[in-house]
Coordinates of all heavy atoms in Angstrom, one line a residue:
M1 N 167.9 -37.3 7.0 CA 168.7 -36.2 7.6 C 168.1 -35.7 8.9 O 166.9 -35.8 9.0 CB 168.7 -35.0 6.6 CG 169.7 -35.1 5.6 SD 169.9 -33.5 5.0 CE 170.5 -33.9 3.4
T2 N 168.9 -35.2 9.7 CA 168.4 -34.7 11.0 C 168.4 -33.1 10.9 O 169.3 -32.5 10.3 CB 169.3 -35.1 12.1 OG1 170.6 -34.6 11.9 CG2 169.3 -36.6 12.3
A3 N 167.4 -32.6 11.5 CA 167.3 -31.1 11.6 C 168.2 -30.6 12.7 O 168.3 -31.2 13.8 CB 165.9 -30.7 11.8
T4 N 168.9 -29.5 12.4 CA 169.7 -28.8 13.4 C 168.9 -27.7 14.1 O 168.2 -27.0 13.4 CB 171.0 -28.3 12.9 OG1 170.7 -27.4 11.8 CG2 171.8 -29.4 12.3
A5 N 169.0 -27.6 15.3 CA 168.3 -26.6 16.1 C 169.1 -25.3 15.9 O 170.3 -25.2 16.0 CB 168.2 -26.9 17.5
T6 N 168.3 -24.2 15.7 CA 169.0 -22.9 15.6 C 169.1 -22.3 17.0 O 168.2 -22.5 17.8 CB 168.2 -21.9 14.7 OG1 166.9 -21.8 15.3 CG2 168.1 -22.4 13.3
P7 N 170.2 -21.7 17.3 CA 170.4 -21.1 18.7 C 169.4 -20.0 18.9 O 169.0 -19.3 17.9 CB 171.8 -20.6 18.7 CG 172.2 -20.4 17.3 CD 171.4 -21.4 16.5
P8 N 168.9 -19.8 20.1 CA 168.0 -18.7 20.4 C 168.7 -17.3 20.2 O 169.9 -17.2 20.3 CB 167.6 -18.9 21.9 CG 168.7 -19.7 22.4 CD 169.3 -20.5 21.3
P9 N 167.9 -16.3 19.8 CA 168.5 -15.0 19.6 C 169.1 -14.5 20.9 O 168.6 -14.8 22.0 CB 167.4 -14.1 19.1 CG 166.1 -14.8 19.6 CD 166.5 -16.3 19.6
D10 N 170.2 -13.8 20.8 CA 170.9 -13.2 22.0 C 170.0 -12.2 22.6 O 169.4 -11.4 22.0 CB 172.2 -12.6 21.6 CG 173.2 -13.6 21.2 OD1 173.1 -14.8 21.6 OD2 174.1 -13.3 20.4
A11 N 170.0 -12.3 24.0 CA 169.2 -11.3 24.7 C 170.0 -10.0 24.7 O 171.3 -10.0 24.7 CB 169.0 -11.7 26.1
P12 N 169.4 -8.8 24.7 CA 170.1 -7.6 24.7 C 170.9 -7.5 26.0 O 170.5 -7.8 27.1 CB 169.0 -6.5 24.6 CG 167.8 -7.2 25.0 CD 167.9 -8.6 24.7
A13 N 172.2 -7.0 25.9 CA 173.0 -6.8 27.0 C 172.6 -5.6 27.9 O 172.2 -4.6 27.3 CB 174.5 -6.7 26.5
E14 N 172.7 -5.8 29.2 CA 172.4 -4.7 30.0 C 173.6 -3.8 30.1 O 174.7 -4.2 30.1 CB 172.0 -5.2 31.4 CG 170.7 -6.0 31.4 CD 170.3 -6.5 32.8 OE1 170.7 -5.8 33.8 OE2 169.6 -7.5 32.9
P15 N 173.3 -2.5 30.3 CA 174.5 -1.5 30.4 C 175.2 -1.8 31.7 O 174.7 -2.2 32.7 CB 173.8 -0.2 30.4 CG 172.4 -0.4 30.7 CD 172.1 -1.8 30.3
L16 N 176.5 -1.4 31.7 CA 177.3 -1.6 32.9 C 177.0 -0.5 33.9 O 176.6 0.6 33.5 CB 178.8 -1.4 32.5 CG 179.4 -2.5 31.6 CD1 180.8 -2.1 31.2 CD2 179.4 -3.8 32.3
P17 N 177.1 -0.8 35.2 CA 176.8 0.2 36.2 C 177.8 1.3 36.1 O 178.9 1.2 35.6 CB 177.0 -0.6 37.5 CG 177.1 -2.0 37.2 CD 177.4 -2.1 35.7
A18 N 177.5 2.5 36.6 CA 178.3 3.7 36.5 C 179.6 3.5 37.3 O 180.6 4.0 36.9 CB 177.5 4.9 37.0
S19 N 179.6 2.7 38.4 CA 180.8 2.5 39.1 C 181.9 1.7 38.3 O 183.1 2.0 38.4 CB 180.5 1.8 40.4 OG 180.0 0.5 40.2
V20 N 181.4 0.8 37.5 CA 182.4 0.0 36.7 C 183.0 0.9 35.6 O 184.2 0.9 35.4 CB 181.7 -1.2 36.1 CG1 182.6 -1.9 35.1 CG2 181.3 -2.2 37.2
T21 N 182.1 1.7 35.0 CA 182.6 2.6 34.0 C 183.6 3.6 34.6 O 184.6 3.9 34.0 CB 181.4 3.4 33.4 OG1 180.5 2.4 32.9 CG2 181.8 4.2 32.2
A22 N 183.3 4.1 35.8 CA 184.2 5.1 36.4 C 185.6 4.4 36.7 O 186.6 5.0 36.5 CB 183.6 5.6 37.7
V23 N 185.6 3.2 37.2 CA 186.8 2.5 37.6 C 187.6 2.2 36.3 O 188.9 2.5 36.3 CB 186.6 1.2 38.4 CG1 187.8 0.4 38.5 CG2 186.0 1.6 39.7
V24 N 187.0 1.8 35.3 CA 187.7 1.5 34.0 C 188.3 2.8 33.4 O 189.4 2.9 33.0 CB 186.7 0.8 33.0 CG1 187.4 0.8 31.6 CG2 186.4 -0.6 33.5
G25 N 187.5 3.9 33.5 CA 188.0 5.2 33.0 C 189.2 5.7 33.8 O 190.2 6.2 33.3
L26 N 189.2 5.5 35.2 CA 190.3 5.8 36.0 C 191.5 5.0 35.7 O 192.6 5.5 35.6 CB 189.9 5.7 37.5 CG 190.9 6.2 38.5 CD1 191.1 7.7 38.3 CD2 190.4 5.9 39.9
L27 N 191.3 3.7 35.5 CA 192.4 2.8 35.1 C 193.1 3.2 33.8 O 194.3 3.3 33.6 CB 192.0 1.4 35.0 CG 191.7 0.7 36.3 CD1 191.1 -0.7 36.1 CD2 193.0 0.5 37.2
V28 N 192.2 3.6 32.8 CA 192.8 4.0 31.5 C 193.5 5.3 31.7 O 194.6 5.5 31.1 CB 191.6 4.2 30.5 CG1 192.0 4.9 29.3 CG2 191.0 2.8 30.1
L29 N 193.0 6.2 32.5 CA 193.7 7.5 32.7 C 195.1 7.3 33.4 O 196.1 7.8 32.9 CB 192.9 8.4 33.6 CG 193.6 9.7 34.1 CD1 193.7 10.7 32.9 CD2 192.8 10.4 35.2
F30 N 195.1 6.4 34.4 CA 196.4 6.1 35.0 C 197.4 5.4 34.1 O 198.6 5.7 34.1 CB 196.2 5.3 36.3 CG 195.8 6.0 37.5 CD1 195.2 5.4 38.6 CD2 195.9 7.4 37.5 CE1 194.8 6.1 39.7 CE2 195.5 8.1 38.6 CZ 195.0 7.5 39.7
E31 N 196.9 4.5 33.2 CA 197.8 3.8 32.3 C 198.4 4.8 31.3 O 199.5 4.7 30.9 CB 197.1 2.7 31.6 CG 196.9 1.5 32.5 CD 198.2 0.9 32.9 OE1 199.2 0.8 32.1 OE2 198.4 0.6 34.1
V32 N 197.5 5.7 30.8 CA 198.0 6.7 29.8 C 199.0 7.6 30.4 O 200.1 7.9 29.9 CB 196.8 7.5 29.2 CG1 197.3 8.7 28.4 CG2 196.0 6.6 28.3
T33 N 198.7 8.1 31.7 CA 199.6 8.9 32.4 C 201.0 8.2 32.6 O 202.0 8.8 32.4 CB 199.0 9.4 33.7 OG1 197.8 10.0 33.4 CG2 199.9 10.4 34.4
S34 N 200.9 7.0 33.0 CA 202.1 6.2 33.3 C 202.9 6.0 32.0 O 204.1 6.1 32.0 CB 201.7 4.8 33.9 OG 202.8 4.0 34.0
G35 N 202.2 5.8 30.9 CA 202.9 5.7 29.6 C 203.6 6.9 29.2 O 204.8 6.9 28.8
F36 N 203.0 8.1 29.4 CA 203.6 9.3 29.1 C 204.9 9.6 30.0 O 205.9 10.1 29.5 CB 202.7 10.5 29.3 CG 201.7 10.7 28.1 CD1 200.4 10.9 28.3 CD2 202.2 10.6 26.8 CE1 199.5 11.0 27.3 CE2 201.3 10.8 25.7 CZ 200.0 11.0 26.0
L37 N 204.8 9.2 31.3 CA 205.9 9.4 32.2 C 207.1 8.5 31.8 O 208.2 8.9 31.8 CB 205.5 9.1 33.6 CG 204.5 10.2 34.2 CD1 204.1 9.7 35.6 CD2 205.2 11.5 34.3
Q38 N 206.8 7.3 31.4 CA 207.8 6.3 31.0 C 208.5 6.7 29.7 O 209.7 6.6 29.6 CB 207.3 4.9 31.0 CG 207.0 4.4 32.3 CD 206.4 3.0 32.3 OE1 206.1 2.5 31.2 NE2 206.1 2.4 33.4
V39 N 207.7 7.1 28.8 CA 208.2 7.6 27.5 C 209.0 8.9 27.6 O 210.0 9.1 27.0 CB 207.1 7.7 26.4 CG1 207.6 8.3 25.2 CG2 206.5 6.3 26.1
G40 N 208.5 9.8 28.4 CA 209.2 11.1 28.6 C 210.4 11.0 29.4 O 211.2 12.0 29.4
L41 N 210.7 9.9 30.1 CA 211.9 9.8 30.9 C 213.2 9.6 30.1 O 214.2 10.2 30.4 CB 211.8 8.7 31.9 CG 212.9 8.5 32.9 CD1 213.1 9.7 33.8 CD2 212.7 7.2 33.7
A42 N 213.1 8.8 29.0 CA 214.3 8.4 28.2 C 215.0 9.6 27.6 O 216.2 9.8 27.7 CB 213.9 7.4 27.2
P43 N 214.3 10.6 27.0 CA 215.0 11.7 26.4 C 215.5 12.7 27.5 O 216.5 13.4 27.2 CB 213.9 12.5 25.6 CG 212.8 11.5 25.4 CD 212.8 10.6 26.6
L44 N 215.0 12.6 28.7 CA 215.5 13.5 29.7 C 216.7 12.9 30.5 O 217.4 13.7 31.3 CB 214.4 13.7 30.8 CG 213.2 14.5 30.2 CD1 212.1 14.6 31.3 CD2 213.6 15.9 29.8
L45 N 217.1 11.7 30.3 CA 218.2 11.1 31.0 C 219.5 11.8 30.9 O 220.2 12.1 31.9 CB 218.3 9.6 30.7 CG 217.2 8.7 31.2 CD1 217.4 7.3 30.7 CD2 217.1 8.8 32.7
P46 N 220.0 12.2 29.6 CA 221.2 12.9 29.6 C 221.2 14.3 30.3 O 222.2 14.6 31.0 CB 221.4 13.1 28.1 CG 220.6 12.1 27.4 CD 219.4 11.9 28.3
D47 N 220.1 15.0 30.2 CA 220.0 16.3 30.9 C 220.0 16.1 32.4 O 220.5 16.9 33.2 CB 218.8 17.1 30.4 CG 218.9 17.5 29.0 OD1 220.0 17.7 28.5 OD2 217.8 17.7 28.4
L48 N 219.3 15.0 32.8 CA 219.2 14.7 34.2 C 220.6 14.4 34.8 O 221.0 14.8 35.9 CB 218.2 13.5 34.5 CG 217.9 13.1 35.9 CD1 217.2 14.2 36.6 CD2 217.1 11.9 35.9
A49 N 221.4 13.6 34.0 CA 222.7 13.3 34.4 C 223.6 14.5 34.5 O 224.4 14.6 35.5 CB 223.3 12.3 33.5
D50 N 223.5 15.4 33.6 CA 224.3 16.6 33.6 C 223.9 17.5 34.8 O 224.8 18.1 35.5 CB 224.1 17.4 32.3 CG 224.8 16.8 31.1 OD1 225.7 15.9 31.4 OD2 224.4 17.1 30.0
H51 N 222.6 17.6 35.0 CA 222.1 18.5 36.1 C 222.5 18.0 37.5 O 222.9 18.7 38.4 CB 220.6 18.6 36.0 CG 220.0 19.5 37.1 ND1 220.1 20.8 37.1 CD2 219.2 19.2 38.1 CE1 219.5 21.3 38.1 NE2 218.9 20.3 38.8
L52 N 222.5 16.6 37.7 CA 222.8 16.0 39.0 C 224.2 15.6 39.1 O 224.7 15.1 40.2 CB 221.9 14.8 39.2 CG 220.4 15.2 39.3 CD1 219.6 13.9 39.5 CD2 220.1 16.1 40.5
G53 N 225.0 15.7 38.0 CA 226.4 15.3 38.0 C 226.6 13.8 38.2 O 227.4 13.3 38.9
M54 N 225.7 13.0 37.6 CA 225.8 11.6 37.7 C 226.5 11.0 36.5 O 226.5 11.5 35.4 CB 224.3 11.0 37.7 CG 223.5 11.5 38.8 SD 221.7 11.1 38.7 CE 221.7 9.3 38.4
G55 N 227.1 9.8 36.8 CA 227.8 9.1 35.7 C 226.8 8.1 35.0 O 225.6 8.0 35.5
S56 N 227.2 7.5 34.0 CA 226.3 6.6 33.3 C 225.9 5.4 34.1 O 224.7 4.9 33.9 CB 226.9 6.2 31.9 OG 228.1 5.5 32.2
A57 N 226.7 4.9 35.0 CA 226.4 3.8 35.8 C 225.3 4.1 36.8 O 224.3 3.4 37.0 CB 227.6 3.3 36.5
A58 N 225.4 5.3 37.4 CA 224.3 5.7 38.3 C 223.1 6.1 37.6 O 222.0 5.9 38.1 CB 224.8 6.9 39.1
L59 N 223.2 6.6 36.4 CA 222.0 6.9 35.6 C 221.2 5.7 35.2 O 220.0 5.8 35.1 CB 222.5 7.7 34.4 CG 221.4 8.3 33.5 CD1 220.6 9.3 34.3 CD2 222.0 9.0 32.3
S60 N 221.9 4.6 34.9 CA 221.2 3.4 34.5 C 220.3 2.9 35.7 O 219.3 2.2 35.4 CB 222.1 2.3 34.1 OG 222.9 1.9 35.2
W61 N 220.6 3.3 36.9 CA 219.7 2.9 38.0 C 218.4 3.6 38.0 O 217.4 3.1 38.6 CB 220.4 3.1 39.4 CG 221.3 2.0 39.7 CD1 222.7 2.0 39.6 CD2 220.9 0.7 40.2 NE1 223.2 0.8 40.0 CE2 222.1 0.0 40.4 CE3 219.7 0.1 40.5 CZ2 222.1 -1.4 40.8 CZ3 219.7 -1.2 41.0 CH2 220.9 -1.9 41.1
V62 N 218.3 4.7 37.4 CA 217.0 5.5 37.3 C 216.0 4.6 36.5 O 214.8 4.5 37.0 CB 217.2 6.8 36.6 CG1 215.9 7.5 36.3 CG2 218.1 7.7 37.4
V63 N 216.4 3.9 35.5 CA 215.5 3.1 34.7 C 215.4 1.7 35.4 O 214.3 1.2 35.5 CB 216.1 2.9 33.3 CG1 215.2 1.9 32.5 CG2 216.2 4.2 32.6
S64 N 216.5 1.2 36.0 CA 216.5 -0.1 36.6 C 215.6 -0.1 37.8 O 214.9 -1.1 38.1 CB 217.9 -0.6 37.0 OG 218.7 -0.7 35.8
V65 N 215.6 0.9 38.6 CA 214.7 0.9 39.8 C 213.2 0.9 39.5 O 212.5 0.2 40.1 CB 215.1 2.2 40.7 CG1 214.0 2.5 41.7 CG2 216.4 2.0 41.3
Q66 N 212.9 1.5 38.4 CA 211.5 1.5 37.9 C 211.1 0.1 37.6 O 210.0 -0.4 38.0 CB 211.3 2.5 36.8 CG 209.9 2.8 36.4 CD 209.9 3.8 35.3 OE1 210.8 4.0 34.5 NE2 208.7 4.5 35.2
L67 N 211.9 -0.6 36.8 CA 211.6 -2.0 36.5 C 211.7 -2.9 37.7 O 210.8 -3.8 37.8 CB 212.6 -2.5 35.4 CG 212.6 -1.7 34.1 CD1 213.7 -2.2 33.2 CD2 211.2 -1.9 33.4
L68 N 212.6 -2.7 38.6 CA 212.7 -3.5 39.8 C 211.5 -3.4 40.7 O 211.0 -4.3 41.2 CB 214.0 -3.2 40.5 CG 214.3 -4.0 41.8 CD1 214.5 -5.4 41.4 CD2 215.5 -3.4 42.5
A69 N 211.0 -2.1 40.8 CA 209.8 -1.9 41.6 C 208.6 -2.6 41.0 O 207.8 -3.2 41.8 CB 209.6 -0.4 41.7
A70 N 208.5 -2.6 39.7 CA 207.4 -3.3 39.1 C 207.5 -4.8 39.3 O 206.5 -5.5 39.5 CB 207.3 -2.9 37.6
A71 N 208.7 -5.3 39.2 CA 208.9 -6.8 39.3 C 208.6 -7.2 40.7 O 208.1 -8.4 40.9 CB 210.3 -7.1 38.9
V72 N 208.7 -6.4 41.7 CA 208.5 -6.7 43.1 C 207.0 -6.5 43.4 O 206.3 -7.3 44.1 CB 209.3 -5.9 44.1 CG1 208.9 -6.1 45.5 CG2 210.8 -6.4 43.9
C73 N 206.4 -5.4 42.9 CA 205.1 -5.0 43.3 C 204.0 -5.9 42.7 O 202.9 -6.1 43.3 CB 204.8 -3.6 43.0 SG 205.7 -2.5 44.2
V74 N 204.2 -6.3 41.4 CA 203.1 -7.0 40.8 C 202.8 -8.3 41.5 O 201.6 -8.6 41.8 CB 203.5 -7.3 39.3 CG1 202.5 -8.3 38.6 CG2 203.4 -5.9 38.5
P75 N 203.8 -9.2 41.8 CA 203.4 -10.4 42.5 C 202.9 -10.2 43.9 O 202.1 -10.9 44.5 CB 204.6 -11.3 42.5 CG 205.7 -10.5 41.9 CD 205.2 -9.3 41.3
L76 N 203.5 -9.1 44.5 CA 203.1 -8.8 45.9 C 201.7 -8.4 46.0 O 200.9 -8.8 46.8 CB 204.1 -7.7 46.4 CG 203.7 -7.2 47.8 CD1 204.0 -8.3 48.9 CD2 204.5 -5.9 48.1
F77 N 201.3 -7.5 45.1 CA 199.9 -7.1 45.1 C 198.9 -8.2 44.6 O 197.8 -8.2 45.1 CB 199.7 -5.8 44.2 CG 199.9 -4.5 44.9 CD1 201.1 -4.0 45.1 CD2 198.8 -3.9 45.4 CE1 201.3 -2.8 45.8 CE2 199.0 -2.7 46.1 CZ 200.2 -2.2 46.3
G78 N 199.4 -9.1 43.8 CA 198.6 -10.3 43.5 C 198.3 -11.1 44.7 O 197.2 -11.6 44.9
R79 N 199.4 -11.4 45.5 CA 199.2 -12.2 46.7 C 198.3 -11.4 47.7 O 197.4 -12.0 48.3 CB 200.6 -12.5 47.3 CG 200.5 -13.3 48.6 CD 200.0 -14.7 48.4 NE 200.0 -15.4 49.6 CZ 199.1 -16.3 50.0 NH1 198.1 -16.6 49.1 NH2 199.2 -16.9 51.1
L80 N 198.6 -10.2 47.9 CA 197.7 -9.4 48.8 C 196.3 -9.3 48.4 O 195.4 -9.3 49.2 CB 198.3 -8.0 49.0 CG 199.6 -7.9 49.8 CD1 200.2 -6.5 49.7 CD2 199.5 -8.4 51.2
G81 N 196.1 -9.3 47.0 CA 194.7 -9.3 46.5 C 194.0 -10.6 46.8 O 192.8 -10.7 47.1
D82 N 194.8 -11.8 46.8 CA 194.2 -13.0 47.2 C 193.8 -13.1 48.7 O 192.8 -13.6 49.0 CB 195.2 -14.2 46.9 CG 195.4 -14.4 45.4 OD1 194.6 -14.0 44.6 OD2 196.5 -15.0 45.1
L83 N 194.6 -12.4 49.5 CA 194.4 -12.4 50.9 C 193.3 -11.4 51.3 O 192.4 -11.7 52.2 CB 195.6 -12.1 51.7 CG 196.7 -13.1 51.6 CD1 198.0 -12.6 52.3 CD2 196.3 -14.4 52.3
Y84 N 193.3 -10.2 50.8 CA 192.5 -9.1 51.3 C 191.4 -8.7 50.3 O 190.6 -7.8 50.6 CB 193.3 -7.9 51.7 CG 194.3 -8.2 52.8 CD1 195.6 -8.3 52.5 CD2 193.8 -8.5 54.1 CE1 196.5 -8.6 53.6 CE2 194.7 -8.8 55.1 CZ 196.1 -8.8 54.8 OH 196.9 -9.1 55.8
G85 N 191.4 -9.2 49.1 CA 190.5 -8.8 48.1 C 191.1 -8.0 47.0 O 191.9 -7.0 47.3
H86 N 190.8 -8.3 45.8 CA 191.4 -7.7 44.6 C 190.9 -6.2 44.5 O 191.7 -5.3 44.1 CB 191.2 -8.5 43.4 CG 191.9 -9.8 43.4 ND1 193.3 -9.9 43.2 CD2 191.5 -11.0 43.6 CE1 193.6 -11.1 43.3 NE2 192.6 -11.9 43.5
R87 N 189.7 -6.0 44.8 CA 189.2 -4.6 44.6 C 189.9 -3.7 45.6 O 190.2 -2.5 45.3 CB 187.7 -4.6 44.9 CG 186.9 -5.1 43.7 CD 185.4 -5.1 44.0 NE 184.7 -5.8 43.0 CZ 183.7 -5.3 42.3 NH1 183.3 -4.1 42.6 NH2 183.1 -6.0 41.4
R88 N 190.1 -4.1 46.8 CA 190.7 -3.3 47.9 C 192.2 -3.0 47.4 O 192.6 -1.9 47.5 CB 190.7 -4.0 49.2 CG 191.4 -3.2 50.3 CD 191.5 -3.9 51.6 NE 190.1 -4.1 52.1 CZ 189.8 -4.8 53.2 NH1 190.7 -5.4 53.9 NH2 188.6 -4.8 53.6
M89 N 192.9 -4.0 47.0 CA 194.3 -3.8 46.6 C 194.4 -3.0 45.3 O 195.3 -2.2 45.2 CB 195.0 -5.2 46.4 CG 195.1 -6.0 47.7 SD 195.6 -5.1 49.1 CE 197.2 -4.4 48.6
L90 N 193.4 -3.0 44.5 CA 193.4 -2.2 43.3 C 193.2 -0.7 43.7 O 193.9 0.2 43.2 CB 192.2 -2.5 42.3 CG 192.1 -1.7 41.1 CD1 193.3 -1.8 40.2 CD2 190.9 -2.1 40.3
R91 N 192.4 -0.5 44.7 CA 192.2 0.9 45.2 C 193.5 1.4 45.9 O 193.8 2.5 45.7 CB 191.0 0.9 46.2 CG 189.7 0.8 45.6 CD 188.6 0.8 46.6 NE 187.3 0.5 46.0 CZ 186.5 -0.4 46.4 NH1 186.7 -1.0 47.6 NH2 185.3 -0.6 45.8
V92 N 194.1 0.5 46.7 CA 195.4 0.9 47.3 C 196.4 1.2 46.2 O 197.2 2.2 46.3 CB 195.9 -0.2 48.2 CG1 197.3 0.0 48.7 CG2 195.0 -0.4 49.4
A93 N 196.5 0.4 45.2 CA 197.5 0.6 44.1 C 197.2 1.9 43.4 O 198.2 2.7 43.1 CB 197.5 -0.5 43.2
L94 N 196.0 2.2 43.1 CA 195.6 3.4 42.5 C 195.9 4.7 43.3 O 196.4 5.7 42.8 CB 194.1 3.5 42.1 CG 193.8 2.5 40.9 CD1 192.3 2.5 40.7 CD2 194.5 2.9 39.7
A95 N 195.7 4.5 44.6 CA 196.0 5.7 45.5 C 197.5 5.9 45.6 O 198.0 7.0 45.6 CB 195.5 5.4 46.9
L96 N 198.3 4.8 45.6 CA 199.8 4.9 45.6 C 200.3 5.5 44.4 O 201.2 6.4 44.4 CB 200.4 3.6 45.9 CG 200.2 3.0 47.3 CD1 200.8 1.6 47.4 CD2 200.9 3.9 48.3
I97 N 199.7 5.1 43.2 CA 200.1 5.7 41.9 C 199.8 7.2 41.9 O 200.6 8.0 41.4 CB 199.5 4.9 40.8 CG1 200.1 3.5 40.7 CG2 199.7 5.7 39.5 CD1 199.3 2.6 39.7
A98 N 198.6 7.5 42.3 CA 198.2 8.9 42.3 C 199.1 9.8 43.2 O 199.5 10.9 42.9 CB 196.7 9.1 42.7
A99 N 199.4 9.2 44.4 CA 200.3 10.0 45.3 C 201.7 10.1 44.7 O 202.4 11.1 44.8 CB 200.3 9.3 46.7
G100 N 202.2 9.0 44.1 CA 203.5 9.1 43.5 C 203.7 10.0 42.3 O 204.7 10.6 42.1
T101 N 202.6 10.0 41.6 CA 202.6 10.9 40.4 C 202.5 12.3 40.8 O 203.2 13.2 40.2 CB 201.4 10.5 39.5 OG1 201.5 9.1 39.1 CG2 201.5 11.3 38.2

């Protein structure tokens, strides 16, 4: 029989830098805020239509524009990230989200 070698014990992981933790925390905050905004929009649609005097066809564009913007911006920011750096484009996207919110 042949002896099997045991793998060396794992080295303790080093803690993440504070900047990485701050960016991850900011991303989580934006995602939670975005989720609340998207979930909170659906119950408000009938009141929004009454207030603005919109028909159901025009009201459907409120939801469709949000999805259309995401479908355009995701590949666009991916390509711009390849050209100019993903960190820079992440910062730009976060600033745009913060300004829009």
